[in-house]
Amino acid sequence: MANGCDHPAACHTGEAPILASATVGARAWLLIEHAGPWAAHADQWRLPAAMRALVDRATSLGIRPQLIRRPGRRDAPAAPLHVFVASSTGDDPWLAEGLFEHPDDLDLHLLVHGVVPESCILVSEPMFLVCTHGKRNACCARLGLPLARFLGENLRGEVWETTHLGGDRYAANLVCLPHGLYYGSMSQAAAIAAANAYRHGEVVLDRFRGRAGIPEPLQAAEHFVRSHTGELSVGGVAVESSRSEGGTTVCVVRCTAQRGSSRFRVVVEPTVFTTPCGTTCADEISTYRLAELRQLTPALT
């Protein structure tokens, strides 16, 4: 039986802290069109043997596999294999698409090194993933399915339902590729605002979980600098260096705005938020608090 909330409405309103919760391990992605059904965990997915081998190979290489389908669709073709691959790292993330008669023809080693695999074609439009994985958590289906249908009607061709993205407690979850921007507790209005902002190269801080592939304390540091400066461009804020000092993390964060470039010393500390609803989703949520934020250099124009 899928997990879910005793009082789901109280857990997914965006009132609980959501920052710095993007999936750390998702730096490279393998997205496979598969109509379902989707078992709760990746090692339980019932897939054709060659597709199963591809998923296992991706996992062994540190690539995040996801099964995807069009909103409301349950009739995805079995062949040829339709995949997207994405790299969320660096200053120039990319998304590419490919069709393969034989899954082993997809060179995942190139993807690991941030190179577009042969026979895949770069995609210029963004991709929006909505977790609808009800076998993993009932809230992901209850909240994710209507959101996926809504976005699919408004952003035709760019929206896919997907398996577990990480952070069921934040359903409905939305991920913007190729940059791997995570949003949670999304209403329809919040989701369309985030999608439209991403299409213009920006983030929306409301319900922004962070960017995939970055350690959580660094996600927190970037978030606090964005809040302080108002800088919302996707690439406008980045941690340049960091170190741990006991339970705290000290970062130097670069902020590049239209007015110029600045650097900030940011110190974040882990803390715990106790949920008021007492649900099975999470009695406590680990998050971060800002201990210090200090500008190191004035804006250089």
Side-chain angles (χ1 to χ4, degrees):
M1 180 177 175
N3 294 325
C5 299
D6 294 333
H7 308 286
C11 279
H12 304 286
T13 61
E15 296 175 6
I18 207 167
L19 65 93
S21 63
T23 300
V24 173
R27 298 171 63 83
W29 303 72
L30 169 65
L31 313 162
I32 303 174
E33 185 173 6
H34 183 271
W38 298 337
H41 300 279
D43 59 0
Q44 301 168 346
W45 291 344
R46 295 182 179 178
L47 305 172
M51 191 184 298
R52 175 79 263 172
L54 179 63
V55 168
D56 292 343
R57 187 155 50 97
T59 302
S60 70
L61 292 170
I63 298 167
R64 185 176 182 90
Q66 300 280 147
L67 301 182
I68 60 173
R69 62 192 175 206
R70 289 295 188 186
R73 288 278 298 274
R74 300 295 183 270
D75 58 349
L81 182 71
H82 181 207
V83 305
F84 291 87
V85 289
S87 175
S88 295
T89 61
D91 296 329
D92 192 21
W94 52 263
L95 173 70
E97 182 178 16
L99 294 170
F100 295 88
E101 293 291 345
H102 304 289
D104 16 341
D105 290 341
L106 177 57
D107 189 343
L108 294 180
H109 289 279
L110 290 175
L111 175 57
V112 169
H113 291 94
V115 178
V116 179
E118 295 181 6
S119 301
C120 290
I121 299 174
L122 285 172
V123 176
S124 58
E125 295 299 320
M127 171 184 276
F128 300 101
L129 302 178
V130 179
C131 180
T132 61
H133 200 170
K135 288 287 180 67
R136 181 64 178 253
N137 186 289
C139 294
C140 292
R142 185 181 66 83
L143 300 171
L145 284 168
L147 181 63
R149 286 194 295 268
F150 170 78
L151 288 178
E153 292 168 357
N154 287 273
L155 300 168
R156 293 192 178 276
E158 299 177 9
V159 180
W160 297 80
E161 296 181 22
T162 191
T163 47
H164 178 64
L165 287 167
D168 299 328
R169 69 192 64 171
Y170 305 119
N173 280 301
L174 171 71
V175 169
C176 309
L177 289 177
H179 285 82
L181 305 185
Y182 269 64
Y183 289 89
S185 302
M186 296 301 274
S187 65
Q188 291 183 355
I192 200 70
N196 285 333
Y198 184 59
R199 292 174 62 86
H200 291 89
E202 295 186 340
V203 303
V204 175
L205 284 186
D206 180 38
R207 309 190 188 198
F208 180 50
R209 292 179 55 189
R211 183 171 172 179
I214 299 174
E216 290 177 352
L218 277 58
Q219 294 180 37
E222 291 185 1
H223 184 98
F224 291 130
V225 169
R226 288 188 184 279
S227 296
H228 177 74
T229 63
E231 177 55 41
L232 298 177
S233 64
V234 172
V237 174
V239 173
E240 291 189 335
S241 63
S242 65
R243 69 178 187 275
S244 297
E245 293 184 357
T248 68
T249 302
V250 181
C251 302
V252 174
V253 182
R254 170 186 50 79
C255 178
T256 306
Q258 291 184 352
R259 300 182 303 275
S261 179
S262 300
R263 285 176 173 79
F264 296 85
R265 171 186 162 93
V266 185
V267 182
V268 298
E269 298 175 342
T271 187
V272 173
F273 174 83
T274 302
T275 60
C277 50
T279 71
T280 56
C281 267
D283 293 325
E284 293 183 339
I285 295 177
S286 298
T287 185
Y288 294 87
R289 63 175 291 271
L290 178 63
E292 178 186 340
L293 192 156
R294 175 165 53 89
Q295 188 170 354
L296 295 176
T297 58
L300 301 176
T301 58

